[in-house]
Amino acid sequence: MISVVMPSYNSAEFIEQAIESVRAQTYPHFELLVCDDGSTDATIEIVERLARQDDRIRLLRNNSRNISRNCNVGLFQAKYPWIARLDADDVMVPARLELQIRAAEQDPSVVLWGGFARLVDRAGKPLRTLRTGPTTAAEFEETRLAGSMFVIQGPTVMFRRDIALEIGGYDPFFNSAEDLELLHRMTARGQARVLPTILTDYRVHGGSITSGKAAHQIRLIRYIEARNRAILAGRPMRTPEEFMGALDSAPDFIRFLEWIDGKARQNYRNASVHHAEKRVSQAALCLTLALLCNPFFSVPRMSKRLGRAAGRRSRVALRGVARKFLDVTHIGHHGGPAL
């Protein structure tokens, strides 16, 4: 059985669709814990109305102003052995929980399951698919032994509650990278794996992030990577506070490069948001700034996305040619005017 943990804050625009996607699951043995962090819009009224219709839904009202602490409330209050995460603006595909619990039953060595995520815009229109994370035991071991990052999309994960509790749950220090940090601590207890299929529609919308937040996320990820390598080498690792302090005391030139990199990541991410929201001029401006700030970060990502888009257009064109060929040969076979 599964406890779905859904953090929310002023999520009235999308939360009903998110909750209904959970209620529509082909696997019915779940509870849904909506962990609200002090919403001031209609979020509470929507959740309470849906909870009256379905006793599997519970509303947990918090005021922590911290995503990690908010999710930990759901983790501590959950009744079932598996925790599935979904954000209040995302949507589960109908078979997600069934696919994940069946996979868990077949391979008990895996402590965290994920899957592919489909990026969608505010209206739910598909943008592209995120295919990240190890799909086999061999891929998991290769990534772990290299000390590299496991990147599994947060709104697709399902993990063992007992292990998450044993290691202390989400760490509030790692806000904005809390899901990745918990994932890496859990892999000390077992494997992480992704199912090679889309499990969640991951919505891209909203406002811009700041360069400070982008740079802070990169610092947190750098710490996780350094901790992975230290564990593999059997070396002691500095605390997160010590690690961040060392970065703060770096020479001014290094800190300037870090700031520039943060600006590049900020603008690249904001370009994606503006593009999804059909704000073409803002998207073009942010992409230009990202390229100017750090072409070594921006160009490979842009080239990869353009390559995928070109590949999709080629496949569509080839299918069109194939259909025309089949139509022509079909007409010719039946005595019509074959070309």
Side-chain angles (χ1 to χ4, degrees):
M1 303 180 81
I2 303 171
S3 294
V4 181
V5 172
M6 179 185 294
S8 66
Y9 176 72
N10 286 348
S11 307
E13 183 175 0
F14 301 113
I15 195 167
E16 185 162 359
Q17 185 180 4
I19 290 174
E20 290 297 352
S21 77
V22 180
R23 295 179 69 189
Q25 290 295 296
T26 57
Y27 180 82
H29 308 298
F30 65 83
E31 64 171 348
L32 170 59
L33 307 179
V34 180
C35 305
D36 188 78
D37 205 9
S39 290
T40 57
D41 63 359
T43 298
I44 298 298
E45 290 79 3
I46 293 169
V47 178
E48 289 179 336
R49 170 171 54 81
L50 295 174
R52 288 192 293 270
Q53 301 172 13
D54 192 331
D55 60 9
R56 295 174 298 181
I57 302 171
R58 282 198 283 157
L59 173 63
L60 306 176
R61 301 183 69 171
N62 314 301
N63 196 26
S64 60
R65 293 295 189 270
N66 182 292
I67 181 65
S68 297
R69 292 192 177 96
N70 192 32
C71 289
N72 278 339
V73 171
L75 179 60
F76 299 146
Q77 293 288 325
K79 298 187 297 186
Y80 298 138
W82 288 93
I83 301 291
R85 273 291 310 275
L86 185 72
D87 290 336
D89 53 357
D90 296 331
V91 173
M92 287 185 178
V93 302
R96 173 188 160 180
L97 296 183
E98 184 172 5
L99 289 171
Q100 289 186 303
I101 200 67
R102 298 294 174 247
E105 290 169 350
Q106 292 170 13
D107 193 343
S109 69
V110 178
V111 300
L112 184 146
W113 288 93
F116 296 164
R118 177 170 48 206
L119 289 182
V120 300
D121 65 11
R122 180 181 292 273
K125 178 183 176 182
L127 300 173
R128 61 190 177 96
T129 300
L130 302 175
R131 298 176 174 88
T132 61
T135 59
T136 66
E139 287 181 21
F140 171 83
E141 282 300 314
E142 180 181 2
T143 303
R144 185 186 68 83
L145 292 174
S148 302
M149 287 286 294
F150 294 103
V151 180
I152 298 178
Q153 301 304 317
T156 73
V157 300
M158 183 187 82
F159 55 83
R160 279 178 49 180
R161 176 175 179 264
D162 58 339
I163 293 178
L165 289 174
E166 286 173 10
I167 62 177
Y170 292 98
D171 187 339
F173 186 88
F174 288 88
N175 268 358
S176 76
E178 74 286 342
D179 49 355
L180 285 174
E181 195 276 334
L182 178 65
L183 159 63
H184 282 80
R185 280 188 288 131
M186 291 196 69
T187 56
R189 305 294 187 92
Q191 291 198 9
R193 197 89 54 79
V194 301
L195 300 176
T197 188
I198 294 171
L199 298 183
T200 301
D201 282 348
Y202 189 171
R203 202 180 304 269
V204 178
H205 68 94
S208 302
I209 66 168
T210 65
S211 58
K213 181 177 179 181
H216 184 62
Q217 287 175 331
I218 298 306
R219 283 185 163 202
L220 295 175
I221 290 171
R222 285 177 63 185
Y223 175 82
I224 296 169
E225 290 175 325
R227 186 177 64 187
N228 289 349
R229 292 191 294 269
I231 291 171
L232 282 172
R235 299 193 310 265
M237 182 62 193
R238 288 178 290 185
T239 66
E241 293 82 0
E242 292 170 340
F243 186 87
M244 299 304 165
L247 293 178
D248 287 336
S249 63
D252 290 344
F253 177 68
I254 299 299
R255 294 174 61 189
F256 174 74
L257 291 178
E258 184 181 34
W259 180 81
I260 287 291
D261 183 61
K263 294 292 287 185
R265 294 169 188 271
Q266 165 207 12
N267 281 287
Y268 189 86
R269 188 269 184 186
N270 290 343
S272 298
V273 173
H274 290 314
H275 180 262
E277 297 276 284
K278 306 295 188 294
R279 298 188 289 263
V280 178
S281 59
Q282 293 98 318
L285 175 61
C286 286
L287 185 58
T288 300
L289 291 172
L291 290 166
L292 290 173
C293 287
N294 189 348
F296 299 103
F297 168 80
S298 306
V299 170
R301 284 160 177 77
M302 189 172 68
S303 298
K304 187 175 180 180
R305 292 184 66 171
L306 290 173
R308 282 196 298 262
R312 285 194 297 270
R313 288 193 294 269
S314 297
R315 288 192 293 272
V316 170
L318 286 171
R319 283 196 293 267
V321 171
R323 281 196 297 269
K324 289 180 180 179
F325 175 77
L326 291 173
D327 289 344
V328 168
T329 55
H330 178 75
I331 293 171
H333 178 72
H334 287 81
L339 299 178

